[in-house]
Amino acid sequence: MPALVTLQEVKEYLKLDLMSQLEDKVLQHLIAAATAEVEQKHGRGLTYRETVETYSGTGDGKLFLRAYPVVSISSITVNGAEVSPSAYRVEKHTGILHGAWPAGVDNISVSYKAGYWTDFQNPPPSMDIPMIPMDLKHECLELVAYLYENRGGVR
């Protein structure tokens, strides 16, 4: 699973030896835990990913995707039939799909790419993928630092 920060960024932030691999496994575990916690706090996937999600239609004109910003929609099916891109409009920054979403249980499937590119050292494969905002990156770094400094915590 992609992370909001890289191992190198964490080592630099914690002022650890970049060449030492002594604590890499611990740091990678803390990075994964911090990424999951930040995503849970914000109520959505933040790292760039391709995903397929199933929704139950409510009969209204909005469908709220679980990850955003949306980079692209690969396909949408409603009641087993593929929906034409002209039948919906996506608000990329909010992940809202506007269209006719009929009521039903698990009757809508959306395949899409969404999230932020997190590795500042390596450019994203497409200019359409937004870079992670610095406040989210900093939030994750702070959480990793807290977890690292308190890893032997008092119980």
Side-chain angles (χ1 to χ4, degrees):
M1 176 173 171
L4 294 173
V5 294
T6 65
L7 180 61
Q8 180 177 339
E9 289 168 330
V10 167
K11 285 182 168 184
E12 289 172 357
Y13 192 77
L14 296 173
K15 296 183 172 58
L16 299 176
D17 181 358
L18 297 177
M19 300 308 290
S20 173
Q21 297 178 352
L22 187 62
E23 300 206 63
D24 284 4
K25 283 188 178 186
V26 169
L27 291 172
Q28 288 169 336
H29 172 76
L30 297 177
I31 290 167
T35 295
E37 189 170 324
V38 170
E39 288 188 330
Q40 183 178 19
K41 175 188 168 194
H42 289 274
R44 63 186 169 118
L46 295 168
T47 58
Y48 177 72
R49 66 190 77 188
E50 185 166 356
T51 188
V52 177
E53 296 172 347
T54 302
Y55 298 88
S56 294
T58 59
D60 67 13
K62 292 182 182 178
L63 189 67
F64 297 89
L65 299 178
R66 295 182 190 103
Y68 55 91
V70 174
V71 174
S72 64
I73 304 288
S74 303
S75 67
I76 300 175
T77 58
V78 175
N79 298 324
E82 189 156 347
V83 176
S84 167
S86 64
Y88 63 87
R89 180 178 58 84
V90 62
E91 289 182 27
K92 290 187 173 190
H93 65 288
T94 63
I96 299 174
L97 280 176
H98 298 272
W101 311 116
V105 177
D106 293 339
N107 63 327
I108 302 168
S109 177
V110 182
S111 175
Y112 66 107
K113 295 178 184 175
Y116 295 109
W117 191 256
T118 57
D119 187 353
F120 283 100
Q121 277 99 21
N122 297 305
S126 164
M127 293 304 293
D128 293 334
I129 305 170
M131 296 300 291
I132 186 168
M134 288 306 295
D135 60 331
L136 291 174
K137 184 175 274 290
H138 183 75
E139 181 179 352
C140 192
L141 285 170
E142 278 291 306
L143 183 53
V144 171
Y146 174 82
L147 294 171
Y148 180 77
E149 291 165 4
N150 293 283
R151 68 193 177 282
V154 177
R155 296 183 200 273

